[in-house]
Each structure stands twice: as C-alpha cells, then as structure tokens.
Amino acid sequence: MTGASFSLETEFCPDVTPESDAVRRAGEIIRAGGLVGFPTETVYGLGADARNSEAVAAIFRAKGRPQDNPLICHIAHPEELDTLARTVPEAARRLAETYWPGPLTIILPCRPEVPKEVTAGLDTVGIRLPSHPVARALIEASGTPIAAPSGNRSGRPSPTTAAHMWEDMAGRIDMILDGGPCTVGVESTVVTLAAPVPRLLRPGGITLEQLRAVLGEVEVDKALRQKIDDSEKVSAPGMKYRHSAPAAPVTAVTGDPDRSAAYILSQIGPDDGVICYEEYLDRFLGAAGWVRSIGREDRIDEQARRVFDALRSFDSTGAKRIFAQCPEETGIGLAVANRLKKAAGFHVVNV
Ligand code: TXA
Ligand code: MG
C-alpha cells in the first residue's frame, strides 16, 4: 500500500471524533498494511500495524528514520501488555494502573513474535496506552497494537497539530486524522524496567517525580543531559540524534529569566530568532527578526504545549540563529528543557 516513491494521495480527515466513520476507515487502512497519522495527547503519531513487518518498515521510509531507532507499540487495554512483553514485573503493573491511559511508555523484555522492525533488533519493546479518545478508538478499530513514532520527518520537531503532520507527511502516507491540537505537547516519558534499577530514558508528560512516587529509585540516563557520540551505545537510540530541531542552529540559555533575557539581547541581531517567555516578548520585539512566545514564565504546561510549534515556526522564516530561554528542570520542565537542549544539539549557555 505504501511504497518508497511517496506519490500517495493522502486523505485529510477534519474534526475527527472517536465515533467518526474516518476512524473505522483508518482502522481498515492499518489492517491492510497502510500508514495513518493520528492524534495522541502528547504529539501526533504515524501508525502502522505493529504485527506487520512490511507496514512497520514503511514507517521508517516515510519518516526517513534511521533503522536502529525502535518504535513504541500503542495498545487500547492494559491486558495487551502481556501479548507484547515476555515478562511483566509488578512494578510495570503498578505504573500502568497509576499512569495509564496517559503519556508514559514502559520498556520491557519483548516476546519473540514482535517484529524486529519494531524493536530495531533489541530484546525489549516500548509499550504505551494513550489517553486520547481518537487514538484509543483507532487502536480498537484496527484490532491490533499500533506501532507509532512521532509523525514528523526524521530530525524535525514533533507535530502537535494535524497541520504539522500534513506539512511533513502529505503524499507519503494514506490518511491523517485531525483530532485537534495535542494537550500535553511533548512526547511520552520513556522508562525502562528491563534494567536492574528503573531508568528514565526520555523525560515527558509523566514527571520524574511521579515515576519515583510509584517506583522509588529511578536512575536518569546520561543521554538526557549531554550529547552522545555516534559511536556510543545508548539505551534509547532516539536520544543520540539531533532532534526536534529547526533548520537554523539553536542555543538554549538556562538560568534566571532576567539574566537569560539580558544575555540573549546582548547576542542577537535582526537575522536571529528568539523563543522567550510571554512576559519577555516586548524586550525582544525590534531587537530580533522573529520572536515566539513559549508561554508564561510560571506556566510550564503551556510551555510544553508550545515548544515544538515554536521551534517548527522558524523554518518558514529566514532566521540564521535561534536563541531560547530554557526553563528549570522540575516537573514537566525537565521534558521542555530536554527538547530545547536536544534541538540545540546540547549547545547550552548557563547564565
Ligand atoms: O508520545 C509519544 O511517545 C509519541 C506518540 C506518538 O505516542 N511517540 C514517540 O515515538 O515519541 P518516537 O519514535 O518519536 O520516540 C520513541 C522513543 C525513541 O527515543 C526510541 O529510541 C525510544 O522511544 N524507544 C522505543 N523503543 C525502545 C526500546 N525498546 N528501548 C529503548 N528505547 C526505546
Ligand atoms: Mg520522535
């Protein structure tokens, strides 16, 4: 159904609800081996039948995704955990009970029947039960777990609206379901339980503090804080790529917002772009060529919803460099700061 030539006619379905006929048809497309862009509470996903190797291989072609980066399997009921995972420790059940449906991916040892295209040859699999009603209706309609990465072309910021998905995937996939803008805005938290001590591989919608409340000790993978060499082995292969990045180079500026604003003002000119807190817009207008608000300084949930859209918006401008005020790493701020730092290739200035 989906070849590498990318001349597909992509059907765009507006105003989709769980009851829409478009969801039933999307389920048929998934069952037939096709690709569907669909909303989740975190970001839009690019879905295929997780049990169909060829369909999953087509995801990698549509995205231009490196083959060594595994995909998350999306399920509609917690019992499906056991159909994908070889062993399900008590800790996984507690996490699932507490945070599913929701923005949490649990990595577990995987059953041998899970296609290697999904796991990129690892002996583990990432599983998530999303809370978005359209996502859940689509999984039900498909009658199979759905393997889905974020729906962006590889390297670009994740899509948080169906329009972003269209920008990246029109002509490459069969259908896009528009279920409105994503309410979380950063991807799911990825935690592995296939390690002696649970380890956070990607911060996301469920915070580190929330994980520790259920699991006790949780280690933080070093790939969260620093750039990883191409040759290095990493726990979540996705962490080593420059990610969620606009075309122009990004500098993430951490520290007190007044000082980060002063630093950025001292650096920028009319060819540069700025991502700043809402309260600082006035200071940058006139100084930078393009200024985007990431949300109010004390509204980290708003910042999470807007960070990818802000990054993506610079690609339609002539900005030569981008400077971003970067929030503190508490709560979901850890995820927002991580996405800005990844977009910056970990080029971070602390003021
Ligand atoms: O919120 C989300 O998780 C979204 C929506 C669509 O559900 N999906 C998403 O998928 O962000 P993706 O492929 O863009 O990111 C998945 C991340 C990657 O960093 C990948 O390396 C990691 O999860 N991952 C997947 N399976 C893994 C495994 N078995 N072991 C370690 N890391 C894994
Ligand atoms: Mg992604």
mmCIF file of all heavy atoms in Angstrom, residues 63 65 149-150 152 158 187 202 243, ligand 2:
data_model
loop_
_atom_site.group_PDB
_atom_site.id
_atom_site.type_symbol
_atom_site.label_atom_id
_atom_site.label_comp_id
_atom_site.label_asym_id
_atom_site.label_seq_id
_atom_site.Cartn_x
_atom_site.Cartn_y
_atom_site.Cartn_z
ATOM 1 N N LYS A 63 9.308 8.413 7.169
ATOM 2 C CA LYS A 63 9.950 9.398 8.047
ATOM 3 C C LYS A 63 11.390 9.707 7.667
ATOM 4 O O LYS A 63 11.939 10.717 8.074
ATOM 5 C CB LYS A 63 9.972 8.854 9.497
ATOM 6 C CG LYS A 63 8.713 9.092 10.281
ATOM 7 C CD LYS A 63 8.893 8.632 11.730
ATOM 8 C CE LYS A 63 9.896 9.447 12.512
ATOM 9 N NZ LYS A 63 9.331 10.444 13.418
ATOM 10 N N ARG A 65 13.642 7.635 8.806
ATOM 11 C CA ARG A 65 14.147 7.371 10.160
ATOM 12 C C ARG A 65 15.277 6.357 10.138
ATOM 13 O O ARG A 65 15.185 5.341 9.445
ATOM 14 C CB ARG A 65 12.990 6.822 11.001
ATOM 15 C CG ARG A 65 13.326 6.488 12.465
ATOM 16 C CD ARG A 65 12.026 6.150 13.157
ATOM 17 N NE ARG A 65 12.124 5.659 14.499
ATOM 18 C CZ ARG A 65 11.738 6.355 15.574
ATOM 19 N NH1 ARG A 65 11.310 7.585 15.454
ATOM 20 N NH2 ARG A 65 11.786 5.811 16.762
ATOM 21 N N PRO A 149 5.846 6.057 15.789
ATOM 22 C CA PRO A 149 6.737 7.119 16.239
ATOM 23 C C PRO A 149 5.987 8.445 16.127
ATOM 24 O O PRO A 149 4.856 8.480 15.634
ATOM 25 C CB PRO A 149 7.868 7.068 15.214
ATOM 26 C CG PRO A 149 7.176 6.661 13.948
ATOM 27 C CD PRO A 149 6.034 5.752 14.358
ATOM 28 N N SER A 150 6.607 9.527 16.577
ATOM 29 C CA SER A 150 6.042 10.839 16.314
ATOM 30 C C SER A 150 5.976 11.038 14.803
ATOM 31 O O SER A 150 6.821 10.528 14.061
ATOM 32 C CB SER A 150 6.901 11.914 16.974
ATOM 33 O OG SER A 150 8.269 11.732 16.639
ATOM 34 N N ASN A 152 6.579 13.352 12.632
ATOM 35 C CA ASN A 152 7.432 14.286 11.905
ATOM 36 C C ASN A 152 8.375 13.543 10.971
ATOM 37 O O ASN A 152 8.680 12.368 11.182
ATOM 38 C CB ASN A 152 8.278 15.097 12.905
ATOM 39 C CG ASN A 152 8.978 14.164 13.894
ATOM 40 O OD1 ASN A 152 8.326 13.592 14.755
ATOM 41 N ND2 ASN A 152 10.277 13.994 13.734
ATOM 42 N N SER A 158 8.540 17.414 16.588
ATOM 43 C CA SER A 158 7.349 16.561 16.580
ATOM 44 C C SER A 158 6.104 17.388 16.279
ATOM 45 O O SER A 158 6.007 18.543 16.673
ATOM 46 C CB SER A 158 7.184 15.891 17.948
ATOM 47 O OG SER A 158 8.225 14.972 18.165
ATOM 48 N N GLU A 187 6.470 14.557 24.003
ATOM 49 C CA GLU A 187 6.201 13.134 23.874
ATOM 50 C C GLU A 187 6.127 12.454 25.242
ATOM 51 O O GLU A 187 6.450 13.043 26.267
ATOM 52 C CB GLU A 187 7.293 12.442 23.036
ATOM 53 C CG GLU A 187 7.471 12.977 21.640
ATOM 54 C CD GLU A 187 8.538 14.045 21.581
ATOM 55 O OE1 GLU A 187 8.779 14.721 22.606
ATOM 56 O OE2 GLU A 187 9.127 14.206 20.492
ATOM 57 N N ARG A 202 13.712 9.003 28.580
ATOM 58 C CA ARG A 202 13.262 10.254 27.952
ATOM 59 C C ARG A 202 12.255 10.908 28.883
ATOM 60 O O ARG A 202 11.252 10.292 29.221
ATOM 61 C CB ARG A 202 12.603 9.976 26.592
ATOM 62 C CG ARG A 202 12.101 11.243 25.898
ATOM 63 C CD ARG A 202 11.546 10.983 24.508
ATOM 64 N NE ARG A 202 10.252 10.327 24.542
ATOM 65 C CZ ARG A 202 9.557 9.979 23.463
ATOM 66 N NH1 ARG A 202 10.052 10.216 22.249
ATOM 67 N NH2 ARG A 202 8.395 9.374 23.575
ATOM 68 N N HIS A 243 17.562 16.447 17.445
ATOM 69 C CA HIS A 243 16.161 16.136 17.401
ATOM 70 C C HIS A 243 15.335 17.376 17.416
ATOM 71 O O HIS A 243 15.800 18.413 17.849
ATOM 72 C CB HIS A 243 15.807 15.354 18.664
ATOM 73 C CG HIS A 243 15.323 13.993 18.370
ATOM 74 N ND1 HIS A 243 14.005 13.666 18.457
ATOM 75 C CD2 HIS A 243 15.973 12.886 17.980
ATOM 76 C CE1 HIS A 243 13.862 12.392 18.151
ATOM 77 N NE2 HIS A 243 15.040 11.894 17.853
HETATM 78 MG MG MG B 2 10.109 11.264 17.573
#
